[in-house]
Amino acid sequence: MPDSALDRSFYAEVESARHSVSVDRLYAIADGLGVSVHDLLPDNVGQSLTA
């Protein structure tokens, strides 16, 4: 995995929901994984949670 300037323990804490991810870190994570930020987000981002 390319160096994305984020510690491996940070990734583990995000996966276990101990940390949320800010937009700037989201770009670093996407870069480290070699994907776009869009690939990390669900398709319904920004849609209302209420029906």
Side-chain angles (χ1 to χ4, degrees):
M1 176 176 357
D3 178 23
S4 63
L6 295 175
D7 190 82
R8 292 180 101 179
S9 64
F10 177 79
Y11 288 105
E13 291 173 357
V14 168
E15 289 176 345
S16 63
R18 288 185 283 184
H19 277 292
S20 59
V21 179
S22 63
V23 172
D24 60 325
R25 287 193 173 185
L26 190 60
Y27 280 96
I29 291 169
D31 185 52
L33 295 172
V35 300
S36 74
V37 171
H38 178 77
D39 292 331
L40 299 177
L41 300 172
D43 291 334
N44 62 349
V45 167
Q47 293 179 358
S48 175
L49 297 177
T50 59

